[in-house]
Amino acid sequence: VSSYQYYVGTNAPINFNGLVRHYYLRQKANMADIQVNLVHKGERKAQSHDIAKRVRPGVQQIAQRYNGNAKIVEIPPGPPVMSTLVAEIYGPTQSEQIALATEVKKVFKETPGVVDIDWLVEADQKVYNLVVNKERAAFRGVSAEQIAQTLRMSLAGMDVGLIHTANELDPVTIQVRLPQSDRTSLHDLSGIFVQSQGMGTLTTRLRAGEMIPLSELVKVEEKIQDKSIYHKDLRRVVYVTADVAGATESPVYAMLDMDKKIQKLKLPAGYSINPLYTASPTTEDKLSMKWDGEWQITFEVFRDLGTAFAVVLVIIYLLIIGWFQSFKTPLIMMIAIPLSLVGIIPGHMLHGAFFTATSMIGMIALAGIMVRNSVLLIDFIQIRRAEGIELKQAVIESAAVRTRPIILTSGAVVIGSIVMLFDPIFQGLAISLIWGGILSTILTLVVVPIVYYMAEKKSK
């Protein structure tokens, strides 16, 4: 650690984290932000992500010792979401929403790999309302405004003037307020007096200027402070948030594990929970839950990338049709695309990594590279057949002659991707390009010529 900064009772300067996690709301005395700055990456062996995972359990133990809640947040945090895991609870009343959110929070705590669990519901806070007995106050010649002003001055203080000193450039405010020892308990109200304005009737015989203790005019009522109400798309919502680390690094796997437990929750009669994944509930008449957070971004990215992948396949097919003037030959060339999955899936298992959005990007990029290898092979076969070489011999020569340029092309991709292999965000992209490229290249050199030979021999 090179340095650290405290922001207590106020928010830190707004950064990328602060924009998406609403750090500007951190304006209370029970909130703090400790920004830890690590030494340069060249001066340490561990990456920042590994350091964050290592210190998280110890930091949370310290927080629990003081009945607090601590989270480890990295910069940059990844997708622009409130948290990696977010459960949105909808329902007819806030009390029912909080009850369901409490059960969902328990499920979060019981699931391995789910950490930094929290929710946007304040704990019960006692509030003391000082209610003025207006009838008694009027009888004693004191107004409600006078009582409120006295209490405000006693507790919060009131500016009564300025003082100019030689040591200060600006005027210093003179503030009147009771010392802290006299305003720490509601019992101190008996020591605060208000001045009667007197009464005009002979029956009361109250004189102006008589001092009356506030405890005679004010009644103390204790209650629980109302909880904050959050809205999304004009509907009340309660958020339960968490992060993933250790046992799983992808929110989807944790969500699938928790779905089974959430569906078995004991709820009031007539209620059942089936978590939603893609769209918010259409009504608030019944309790419901929707997964949000990084999953929502992942879903949208995979949906868009899947659509893009399908469009890419169509465009590649049309381009090859235009060049080779055949509907069958492009299909043989595109066999190399599914062959890349033979390397991508085992590659992720070998590295203990999860299939992420960057893995999908790598698979799309690999499709064009592998089709290029097929084009090199089949184009060579057709050139040799045009020269009068027999089909079988042309197929054998294609794999022998075109092996070097194909290996050089795939090798460049593999070597260039090794740099990304150690990055926690782009690791999936690197694994897809490396293992998909290696195994797909080997299989393409064998499968594509054989399939082309079988297809042409059958048609001949």
Side-chain angles (χ1 to χ4, degrees):
V1 173
S2 62
S3 62
Y4 52 92
Q5 302 155 330
Y6 285 111
Y7 298 92
V8 183
T10 184
N11 61 284
I14 298 298
N15 52 20
F16 185 82
N17 277 352
L19 287 174
V20 298
R21 298 184 180 229
H22 312 310
Y23 284 0
Y24 61 88
L25 295 176
R26 295 184 174 180
Q27 302 293 335
K28 297 183 180 179
N30 65 323
M31 297 181 179
D33 189 347
I34 306 175
Q35 294 201 3
V36 180
N37 305 310
L38 303 178
V39 297
H40 190 268
K41 59 183 180 181
E43 301 178 25
R44 48 185 166 89
K45 295 182 180 179
Q47 293 189 0
S48 58
H49 182 64
D50 297 328
I51 295 174
K53 290 195 296 183
R54 193 172 69 219
V55 303
R56 176 179 276 112
V59 171
Q60 291 178 337
Q61 286 180 5
I62 296 172
Q64 292 171 2
R65 190 186 310 163
Y66 297 98
N67 196 25
N69 191 342
K71 305 184 189 70
I72 301 294
V73 180
E74 302 174 58
I75 300 176
V81 293
M82 184 183 299
S83 187
T84 303
L85 281 174
V86 178
E88 299 176 350
I89 311 298
Y90 298 90
T93 63
Q94 189 182 29
S95 59
E96 291 178 313
Q97 288 175 279
I98 293 177
L100 176 57
T102 303
E103 298 300 320
V104 172
K105 193 177 175 185
K106 292 179 182 178
V107 173
F108 277 33
K109 292 181 179 179
E110 296 170 356
T111 305
V114 179
V115 297
D116 291 353
I117 301 160
D118 199 2
W119 62 349
L120 271 64
V121 178
E122 300 90 348
D124 289 344
Q125 301 289 334
K126 291 183 179 179
V127 176
Y128 297 96
N129 290 337
L130 304 179
V131 181
V132 178
N133 189 328
K134 295 182 179 180
E135 183 179 352
R136 182 179 297 178
F139 183 77
R140 304 299 297 270
V142 179
S143 65
E145 182 183 358
Q146 186 181 354
I147 296 174
Q149 185 177 2
T150 303
L151 284 171
R152 190 180 303 113
M153 183 188 304
S154 303
L155 301 177
M158 185 175 73
D159 297 339
V160 296
L162 298 174
I163 184 173
H164 300 273
T165 65
N167 299 328
E168 297 290 341
L169 295 177
D170 298 321
V172 179
T173 303
I174 302 174
Q175 188 181 70
V176 176
R177 185 168 61 170
L178 286 177
Q180 187 172 2
S181 58
D182 294 338
R183 51 186 169 88
T184 56
S185 172
L186 291 173
H187 298 293
D188 295 333
L189 287 177
S190 58
I192 303 177
F193 294 82
V194 290
Q195 191 176 38
S196 173
Q197 302 301 316
M199 295 290 292
T201 61
L202 295 176
T203 54
T204 57
R205 294 184 180 181
L206 289 175
R207 293 174 298 176
E210 183 178 353
M211 304 304 293
I212 303 171
L214 276 182
S215 56
E216 294 185 10
L217 307 176
V218 175
K219 179 183 178 182
V220 179
E221 293 183 354
E222 180 182 325
K223 58 177 290 188
I224 300 299
Q225 187 176 18
D226 294 334
K227 305 290 191 296
S228 298
I229 299 177
Y230 293 87
H231 288 82
K232 182 176 181 180
D233 298 332
L234 302 180
R235 289 191 288 270
R236 283 193 310 270
V237 61
V238 172
Y239 293 102
V240 181
T241 62
D243 207 336
V244 288
T248 176
E249 291 284 342
S250 177
V252 179
Y253 299 95
M255 287 162 51
L256 294 174
D257 188 17
M258 291 188 289
D259 263 359
K260 303 173 184 177
K261 302 176 183 177
I262 292 173
Q263 291 173 0
K264 297 178 181 179
L265 290 177
K266 294 182 180 179
L267 301 174
Y271 286 127
S272 61
I273 291 295
N274 189 17
L276 304 172
Y277 276 82
T278 58
S280 301
T282 57
T283 178
E284 292 180 289
D285 296 339
K286 61 179 183 179
L287 286 171
S288 56
M289 173 191 151
K290 177 189 176 298
W291 287 111
D292 198 77
E294 196 170 306
W295 150 253
Q296 188 67 30
I297 302 295
T298 303
F299 164 73
E300 293 175 358
V301 167
F302 272 86
R303 179 196 62 195
D304 297 341
L305 288 178
T307 304
F309 191 41
V311 173
V312 165
L313 294 180
V314 173
I315 293 175
I316 291 175
Y317 182 71
L318 294 177
L319 287 174
I320 300 176
I321 288 177
W323 181 258
F324 288 94
Q325 300 296 310
S326 170
F327 291 99
K328 179 178 63 176
T329 302
L331 294 176
I332 298 174
M333 292 180 177
M334 295 175 72
I335 291 176
I337 296 177
L339 291 179
S340 62
L341 291 174
V342 177
I344 292 174
I345 303 303
H348 281 79
M349 297 175 62
L350 184 65
H351 287 270
F354 297 97
F355 192 86
T356 60
T358 56
S359 304
M360 185 77 171
I361 295 173
M363 190 175 73
I364 295 175
L366 204 61
I369 298 172
M370 293 303 105
V371 169
R372 175 188 177 280
N373 294 340
S374 299
V375 171
L376 287 174
L377 292 169
I378 295 179
D379 184 58
F380 182 87
I381 294 174
Q382 292 187 351
I383 291 174
R384 295 295 288 163
R385 291 188 68 189
E387 295 174 353
I389 302 299
E390 192 251 337
L391 174 63
K392 182 177 180 181
Q393 183 63 29
V395 169
I396 295 174
E397 290 182 4
S398 69
V401 175
R402 294 298 193 187
T403 295
R404 179 179 294 179
I406 289 176
I407 291 179
L408 287 175
T409 303
S410 301
V413 174
V414 171
I415 294 172
S417 302
I418 292 177
V419 180
M420 297 183 292
L421 194 61
F422 306 99
D423 188 278
I425 296 177
F426 294 101
Q427 185 185 39
L429 174 61
I431 293 173
S432 295
L433 292 177
I434 292 173
W435 290 103
I438 291 175
L439 290 184
S440 181
T441 299
I442 296 173
L443 293 174
T444 299
L445 287 170
V446 177
V447 174
V448 172
I450 290 177
V451 173
Y452 183 81
Y453 172 76
M454 295 170 62
E456 289 297 312
K457 185 179 180 180
K458 184 178 179 181
S459 61
K460 184 178 179 180

